[in-house]
Amino acid sequence: MAQLAVVEGVLERITYANEDNGYTVARVDTGRGAGDLLTVVGSLLGAQPGESLRMEGRWGSHPQYGRQFTVENYTTVLPATVQGIRRYLGSGLIKGIGPRIAERIVDHFGTDTLDVIEGSPERLIEVPGLGPKRTRLIGAAWEEQKAIKEVMIFLQGVGVSTSIAVRIYKKYGDASISVVRNEPYRLAADVWGIGFLTADRIAQSVGIPHDSPERVKAGLRYALSQSSDQGHCYLPEERLISDAVKLLQVDTGLVIDCLGELAADEEAGGVVRQSVPGEEDGSPVSAVYLLPFHRAEISLAGQVLRLLRTEEDRMPAFASVDWAKALGWLGRRTGAELAPEQEQAVRLALTEKVAVLTGGPGCGKSFTVRSVVELARAKRAKVVLAAPTGRAAKRLAELTGAEASTVHRLLELRPGGDAAYDRERPLDADLVVVDEASMLDLLLANKLVKAVPPGAHLLLVGDVDQLPSVGAGEVLRDLLAPGSPVPAVRLTRIFRQAQQSGVVTNAHRINSGVPPITHGLPDFFLFPEEDTEEAGRLTVDVVARRIPARFGLDPRRDVQVLAPMHRGPAGAGALNGLLQQAVTPARPDLPERRFGGRVFRVGDKVTQIRNNYEKGANGVFNGTVGVVTALSPDDQRLTVRTDEDEEVPYDFDELDELAHAYAVTIHRSQGSEYPAVVVPVTTGAWMMLQRNLLYTAVTRARKLVVLVGSRRALGQAVRTVSAGRRCTALDHRLRGAI
């Protein structure tokens, strides 16, 4: 094999970096002068602009980009010249040092700068404008950067991304290399962003056998975890075994043995095996759960039944109230009368300990909730209002004139996910109302119901025809299942005022399997475009130019693109790039930060893509939306103002927790409401086009819906009823079956 060539140079800039596998395209100054930069490609894991690199690799040529160097491995050489040191420190490598401070430090210490930071960081206080606090921060950041570098060099051969290497270091510190070498499958459980596949790649590189029981057990847990990401609380044993055999490429017998070992010790294995009625015909299936989902399902069913059966009543006045008088008072107060089914729902909520109110848009759910709250407060009841998202909580507060919060804030979730309020320390409430309950997944619903005190009334409000929760379970549907002990009212009458709305009319048409009306309505439009790529471009034009011009709406604040899927030319991923260019373009005076394939700027609309209990006052959760309000290269931090009006800081190495939110998938939009919604409906998303998906998208709009795309795709979405229920046994447990 030909000997590797060696190139030395200063890394000027990274033009592309894939955070998943570390593949990088960069420009390097090799000292040839005249601003002549060399393109290098390969895994430049952890390398920062300003660093001097010694790279080994091979020369080649790209048809579009010309001569380039493919790096196979590299080492960092600390710069020796004043100019090199200034560029190195000013690159944002060390938290607390940006270009201006780098200049001051290098002006003071010259070529001794790096020796001072390494050996006597306390001397940095000699630099004008550097106080003791920042001096300590720089010293600590330098040490951490050195340690992270060691971990990164070790992980380089495995292709683990920079951000994940940083997380491994933050999780395990000096033990990082030991854990990676000896217990790589721990990474999949302990470190967000590392799934089984990455851990498996690392395990192979450190010599763990393909048929190791440790590998098979990790693969089984991964298959269950993947199924919970798809909404299932358990998997039938046969399906789990076949999934694991496919994933691991090992003998079925070995998988069966390892599953038996995991289930034999539930606590250590984290897996429970139990017979439950199957989804098809009710005949028993052997269900395999991850331990938290099994516990939550049993607990939630038990808590609901406990609330329903308790003799206590924290609102006893309604057991003997004169309803004619009470409803007459309510009508005078609100200036409107309740329809018979609304009246039934109000009575139910105030006399039953647990009740569900469901129905589509325009059927009066909001007015019914307001009526329940008005009557409860008239009897001096303590009313607590909550919703799964910040936007939904704001809407509930506006509707009732009372304070409302997210469920997470209400329960004061703590790092690790434990709640401050639970069965031992319940909420101080006589009535708990939760809106947008279709969004409640099994784990959150369990935490919530645990915190409702005995004798209090719980009213869950939501549209069961919308998409189920992003997390595992179908809680609202299970509570409404035939034979459920939970009393419920479904509102079906569309009120006259709502009948004048094209958005409401078409939502009900779609839900009934009838195509929407797309001509002659002032608030519902279809822009036909059969080509998927053109539909993507047209979507951007509609958002950035046409809607603002015609309706005076702000494209960032008032308009939301909801895409059926993330991938493809009209998917949320591609549209975010195009919409950012149109709405928040680069400007010379606007600081920005590149992270992987994304660039973050002040003014960007962003969303959190994981639950992080460590952030903000009570955690920041998957789906939280906000706007970037500040970005500091010196502090290596940007700040997001969330929908809940909380300022949340993100270090630059945490930016893989954020994604742009000019366009989001319809799944991620649940619980939110927007003045205007634009939905690309294209044949490119054929597999995702289902009735409840389109219905959910349309019901997110308050004033305006614009569909962009193919009539054929729209017809497919309206016709296709979602196939298959999620694997959940909550409905059976509520009936006392298991």
Side-chain angles (χ1 to χ4, degrees):
M1 184 176 277
Q3 194 174 350
L4 295 178
V6 176
V7 170
E8 292 190 4
V10 175
L11 181 59
E12 281 291 323
R13 64 178 179 272
I14 291 172
T15 54
Y16 170 80
N18 183 320
E19 283 300 311
D20 295 328
N21 60 21
Y23 179 80
T24 305
V25 179
R27 302 280 278 162
V28 170
D29 183 354
T30 56
R32 286 179 293 186
D36 193 10
L37 300 180
L38 169 68
T39 298
V40 298
V41 299
S43 183
L44 286 170
L45 192 69
Q48 297 282 348
E51 287 185 312
S52 295
L53 307 179
R54 185 178 190 278
M55 299 165 287
E56 291 186 326
R58 302 179 194 284
W59 289 101
S61 185
H62 186 280
Q64 189 175 345
Y65 303 112
R67 191 164 186 252
Q68 61 184 32
F69 188 73
T70 300
V71 181
E72 300 211 356
N73 52 68
Y74 80 92
T75 52
T76 301
V77 184
L78 289 177
T81 66
V82 166
Q83 186 188 357
I85 293 168
R86 186 182 292 127
R87 189 193 282 146
Y88 176 64
L89 285 182
S91 68
L93 178 74
I94 307 300
K95 190 178 292 184
I97 304 182
R100 287 192 308 278
I101 290 173
E103 194 142 333
R104 269 187 249 154
I105 294 172
V106 178
D107 284 351
H108 190 82
F109 294 113
T111 53
D112 295 335
T113 297
L114 299 181
D115 293 334
V116 169
I117 297 175
E118 172 77 48
S120 319
E122 68 282 354
R123 284 191 58 200
L124 289 169
I125 204 161
E126 298 170 19
V127 178
L130 282 191
K133 186 178 172 189
R134 178 155 279 190
T135 299
R136 280 196 303 275
L137 177 73
I138 291 169
W142 178 266
E143 287 303 313
E144 183 177 89
Q145 186 61 35
K146 273 198 324 188
I148 289 172
K149 208 75 167 179
E150 269 184 54
V151 175
M152 283 178 170
I153 289 165
F154 175 74
L155 290 173
Q156 204 173 351
V158 195
V160 175
S161 73
T162 310
S163 57
I164 287 176
V166 170
R167 267 204 222 106
I168 290 172
Y169 179 77
K170 281 186 174 175
K171 179 75 183 173
Y172 304 116
D174 293 340
S176 297
I177 291 174
S178 167
V179 170
V180 169
R181 187 175 277 133
N182 302 314
E183 305 171 84
Y185 291 107
R186 261 182 73 186
L187 302 174
D190 292 353
V191 182
W192 181 77
I194 296 189
F196 171 80
L197 299 176
T198 302
D200 199 35
R201 203 164 65 228
I202 294 169
Q204 280 179 341
S205 74
V206 297
I208 288 178
H210 185 72
D211 58 355
S212 147
E214 183 193 358
R215 176 176 184 264
V216 176
K217 288 173 185 176
L220 281 161
R221 281 190 287 257
Y222 171 71
L224 284 173
S225 159
Q226 286 287 92
S227 74
S228 71
D229 288 347
Q230 289 154 13
H232 299 298
C233 298
Y234 69 81
L235 275 185
E237 185 173 353
E238 284 182 17
R239 185 164 148 197
L240 171 61
I241 290 167
S242 74
D243 284 358
V245 168
K246 209 179 295 175
L247 169 74
L248 298 163
Q249 300 290 302
V250 294
D251 288 344
T252 305
L254 178 58
V255 172
I256 291 170
D257 290 346
C258 288
L259 178 56
E261 286 175 36
L262 284 174
D265 186 349
E266 291 175 3
E267 285 294 331
V271 164
V272 178
R273 200 162 36 180
Q274 184 186 16
S275 180
V276 303
E279 291 300 324
E280 296 300 315
D281 55 3
S283 55
V285 298
S286 176
V288 186
Y289 288 82
L290 286 172
L291 190 58
F293 295 103
H294 185 256
R295 284 183 173 161
E297 202 171 77
I298 288 173
S299 167
L300 177 56
Q303 303 291 347
V304 168
L305 295 172
R306 173 179 67 88
L307 289 176
L308 280 169
R309 291 167 182 167
T310 182
E311 293 298 310
E312 291 177 64
D313 193 345
R314 294 180 62 137
M315 295 200 298
F318 290 102
S320 56
V321 77
D322 180 336
W323 281 104
K325 195 173 168 187
L327 294 169
W329 173 87
L330 180 69
R332 288 190 297 279
R333 185 166 174 82
T334 59
E337 277 190 33
L338 292 166
E341 54 187 17
Q342 290 178 306
E343 188 181 311
Q344 184 196 350
V346 169
R347 287 190 187 209
L348 208 62
L350 296 170
T351 56
E352 296 282 358
K353 306 294 169 38
V354 183
V356 174
L357 171 62
T358 189
C363 293
K365 287 197 305 294
S366 297
F367 185 64
T368 307
V369 169
R370 184 182 155 200
S371 302
V372 169
V373 172
E374 290 277 6
L375 284 169
R377 281 154 82 188
K379 294 291 185 186
R380 304 264 186 286
K382 288 177 183 161
V383 180
V384 167
L385 304 171
T389 66
R391 280 181 185 238
K394 267 186 188 172
R395 200 170 66 240
L396 187 57
E398 287 161 9
L399 166 72
T400 57
E403 197 178 316
S405 71
T406 63
V407 176
H408 300 97
R409 272 180 192 274
L410 174 67
L411 300 177
E412 290 180 18
L413 289 185
R414 295 166 169 166
D418 291 330
Y421 293 95
D422 55 20
R423 194 167 177 176
E424 278 64 53
R425 187 194 174 203
L427 296 162
D428 182 18
D430 303 320
L431 170 66
V432 178
V433 179
V434 183
D435 199 8
E436 295 287 356
S438 62
M439 288 187 71
L440 287 176
D441 62 41
L442 176 67
L443 299 182
L444 186 58
N446 178 45
K447 288 185 173 85
L448 170 69
V449 176
K450 248 192 233 182
V452 177
H457 293 227
L458 172 63
L459 174 62
L460 297 170
V461 184
D463 185 347
V464 76
D465 293 322
Q466 284 182 28
L467 290 168
S469 55
V470 174
E474 283 192 287
V475 173
L476 189 64
R477 185 160 288 160
D478 284 341
L479 291 169
L480 289 164
S484 167
V486 179
V489 171
R490 181 168 192 141
L491 303 179
T492 54
R493 178 187 153 194
I494 306 172
F495 287 88
R496 189 163 56 243
Q497 188 182 350
Q499 285 172 1
Q500 292 158 16
S501 158
V503 175
V504 170
T505 302
N506 278 335
H508 285 278
R509 286 174 70 93
I510 290 164
N511 202 28
S512 308
V514 179
I517 299 162
T518 56
H519 289 292
L521 295 172
D523 58 353
F524 200 103
F525 301 89
L526 169 67
F527 282 73
E529 177 51 68
E530 289 299 321
D531 181 77
T532 300
E533 268 187 57
E534 278 303 320
R537 282 193 280 273
L538 181 54
T539 298
V540 174
D541 190 48
V542 165
V543 173
R545 193 175 64 81
R546 298 188 191 208
I547 288 178
R550 169 113 179 240
F551 297 97
L553 295 174
D554 181 276
R556 188 188 291 114
R557 188 184 61 242
D558 301 327
V559 185
Q560 183 62 55
V561 175
L562 302 180
M565 57 197 288
H566 185 76
R567 291 193 179 92
L575 289 174
N576 266 316
L578 295 170
L579 284 161
Q580 185 193 33
Q581 284 172 29
V583 177
T584 317
R587 293 204 321 257
D589 59 330
L590 196 65
E592 58 180 46
R593 173 68 181 189
R594 178 176 290 280
F595 190 92
R598 294 194 280 268
V599 176
F600 292 97
R601 300 183 183 118
V602 171
D604 269 339
K605 188 173 174 179
V606 292
T607 181
Q608 173 82 9
I609 57 173
R610 68 170 286 221
N611 288 344
N612 187 334
Y613 297 95
E614 316 280 339
K615 282 207 161 298
N618 295 111
V620 181
F621 298 92
N622 189 352
T624 299
V625 174
V627 173
V628 177
T629 53
L631 193 153
S632 167
D634 280 7
D635 296 328
Q636 292 193 43
R637 177 174 289 181
L638 64 73
T639 306
V640 173
R641 186 170 194 81
T642 71
D643 270 353
E644 295 172 65
D645 295 326
E646 184 180 9
E647 297 276 352
V648 180
Y650 288 79
D651 290 342
F652 283 171
D653 62 20
E654 297 175 310
L655 292 183
D656 53 353
E657 295 191 18
L658 288 177
H660 290 111
Y662 299 98
V664 297
T665 61
I666 296 168
H667 278 89
R668 295 188 71 82
S669 73
Q670 288 167 260
S672 294
E673 203 179 66
Y674 315 93
V677 159
V678 179
V679 189
V681 185
T682 66
T683 51
W686 197 256
M687 296 302 292
M688 295 296 293
L689 296 175
Q690 293 173 351
R691 187 181 300 169
N692 62 351
L693 192 84
L694 184 60
Y695 174 72
T696 300
V698 168
T699 54
R700 301 305 87 215
R702 271 203 305 275
K703 298 177 183 171
L704 174 68
V705 171
V706 181
L707 307 179
V708 180
S710 152
R711 292 187 191 280
R712 191 163 140 255
L714 178 58
Q716 164 78 358
V718 172
R719 281 192 305 275
T720 308
V721 179
S722 169
R725 286 284 310 275
R726 293 178 167 189
C727 294
T728 145
L730 178 63
D731 53 344
H732 303 294
R733 297 186 198 279
L734 285 167
R735 293 198 293 270
I738 36 176

